[in-house]
Amino acid sequence: MFSRRNRRTPRPTSPALLAAWETLDAGDVPGALRQVRAAGEEQPLNEVALVVGRAAGAAGFADLADAAAALTAAPEEARALYDFGYACVERGVPDLAVPALREALRRSGGALPVLRELVSAYEDEGRHREAATELVRHEGRLADWPDRYLLVYNAVLAGDLELARRQHALLSAPEDAQWQPARDRQDRMLARAADAERAGRLDAADLRGWQYVMGGTVLGTLSPYGFDEGMNGRYAWVQDTPDQCLRGLLRLRSLLAATGVRPRSVSLLPDRDSRILGLAAAEVLGLPAEPFAAGRTDTVVVAYDLDGLAAHDDGPELIGELFERVPGQVLHAHACCWTDPPAITPDSAALLHQSVVAPWGEQLRQGADGGIERGPADDRPEAEIAAGITGADPSAGPGDGDGPADGDAAFAAFAAFATAVAGTWLRGDRARVRSAGPVPGSRFA
């Protein structure tokens, strides 16, 4: 007979992980994983796997639960470490994969498949400097595709253009045709970097410059709040206003003028938010508005928020149609989420946010009792709301006084220089850029 003690479920001994275990006792899986993250990356991997495995079982992730059980039983085996890290990446918790994959890389003698999975985890976490450093450490054994390509990519997103250019010069043409689109995108990224360097400082605080380098997006406005508290020109939560919408559209008009792009129409997307902003854009640009049609050339396609478009019944089909570029077509999005970027990258964006409420949405307000309540959405006709945008005040608010000047002249100079010197704007596909890039940003839950 086994004793009761032998039959007891093992528990972590680390105080931080034991706290996460007890949080699982209360049924709070997200809270437990937050505690595992907060405990840091130096925790015993077998105990991390014990907690993660229990959480995975509660969530119905059998693959991760099985990999965690294998690692708990054999924490020194490279295969168990790799399988656990791989399952964490696949299940969207790459931060929990990193310590196990680092140890798997050490115990496997630097096996390239393990290195690639570790780089993937770093990329998903936006830890591009660490990804590039790890790849450089194994440079003598790298294959050009994908390893050296990944080194160039992560060096750019870490802001190390010297390393990126040096490695890019060593990169051979891909023998496998499936890598050619990636090579073309990387060529365009480095070409945009050359233009952005001429247009501005392209340092760790140059949000507009790096947005252009990463995806070809010209960022219209910078947030005047929290610059020195880590936002660097991004917004956290935004309760949007007609004034801000008009300012974004005027920046779009300035961009088109600076680059010599001459659209003949504004294309209206089908979601209500985009139709409202599109009608205002047509008035500001002095162009006719017409429903979006795939393949229409020389037009400005206006989205309020591309995530809102994706949620529309026809959203997935429209996103696919906008991915491939049509001659003379400009995709403008007013609000772009920087913590979870949209499925396609716009050519122009008015602002970067973490969360946004449209001016005509259910905005927060002070209630009669002095408390905060959510007001009703504005259900007026779209044209009437759009008229309120075109009649708004586009002047920028003072902010908190810590951010850089973001005047119209400075924006126009960037647009003319960065997009016209080598013709690097409006080129290639609109592939999603998942990274926030080299400019740090404070994230809020």
Side-chain angles (χ1 to χ4, degrees), residues 36-333:
V36 174
R37 293 184 179 100
E41 295 185 353
E42 304 306 317
Q43 296 294 318
L45 290 173
N46 61 323
E47 295 196 5
V48 170
L50 191 66
V51 177
V52 173
R54 185 181 174 197
F61 297 159
D63 56 336
L64 180 53
D66 290 345
L71 179 56
T72 301
E76 297 183 354
E77 288 188 7
R79 183 73 208 191
L81 290 159
Y82 172 80
D83 288 345
F84 175 77
Y86 180 90
C88 283
V89 172
E90 290 297 297
R91 286 300 182 178
V93 284
D95 51 334
L96 303 182
V98 167
L101 290 170
R102 276 200 306 246
E103 183 64 10
L105 186 64
R106 186 182 71 83
R107 290 182 178 275
S108 67
L112 288 178
V114 181
L115 173 63
R116 291 164 189 156
E117 197 62 28
L118 175 58
V119 167
S120 176
Y122 277 139
E123 286 182 356
D124 286 352
E125 283 293 288
R127 295 163 65 173
H128 302 290
R129 172 65 64 184
E130 291 167 273
T133 298
E134 199 65 63
L135 287 162
V136 167
R137 198 162 68 85
H138 296 272
E139 183 179 355
R141 301 186 301 108
L142 299 183
D144 273 7
W145 299 92
D147 306 323
R148 196 178 305 278
Y149 161 79
L150 292 174
L151 174 51
V152 176
Y153 175 75
N154 282 283
V156 171
L157 295 180
D160 192 343
L161 291 175
E162 180 182 352
L163 173 61
R165 286 164 176 152
R166 185 169 66 249
Q167 293 293 332
H168 188 72
L170 300 174
L171 192 59
S172 63
E175 295 180 2
D176 189 335
Q178 73 168 336
W179 287 107
Q180 192 59 49
R183 173 64 184 260
D184 293 342
R185 279 194 293 271
Q186 196 164 90
D187 288 345
R188 292 192 296 269
M189 184 182 287
L190 289 169
R192 290 194 298 267
D195 279 359
E197 280 180 319
R198 288 188 285 266
R201 59 193 187 277
L202 205 60
D203 58 14
D206 187 2
L207 182 64
R208 181 172 285 135
W210 282 110
Q211 287 300 125
Y212 186 66
V213 172
M214 292 191 297
T217 299
V218 177
L219 178 61
T221 66
L222 302 176
S223 168
Y225 301 101
F227 197 90
D228 290 343
E229 281 72 48
M231 297 311 297
N232 289 310
R234 302 177 178 95
Y235 289 90
W237 178 75
V238 182
Q239 189 152 272
D240 204 2
T241 65
D243 295 353
Q244 231 166 200
C245 288
L246 180 57
R247 188 162 180 248
L249 292 176
L250 291 174
R251 288 287 168 94
L252 170 63
R253 187 173 70 183
S254 175
L255 171 62
L256 296 175
T259 56
V261 175
R262 299 288 181 264
R264 295 179 296 182
S265 66
V266 168
S267 291
L268 302 178
L269 292 167
D271 61 293
R272 175 175 167 83
D273 290 350
S274 296
R275 289 197 306 269
I276 291 170
L277 190 68
L279 290 171
E283 183 69 23
V284 169
L285 299 176
L287 297 172
E290 48 193 346
F292 172 79
R296 179 182 294 133
T297 61
D298 301 321
T299 188
V300 179
V301 182
V302 175
Y304 178 81
D305 182 344
L306 287 166
D307 289 333
L309 171 65
H312 189 270
D313 289 344
D314 298 326
E317 181 181 353
L318 291 167
I319 293 294
E321 290 170 343
L322 288 168
F323 181 83
E324 296 296 339
R325 190 174 302 286
V326 174
Q329 183 191 82
V330 177
L331 175 59
H332 172 77

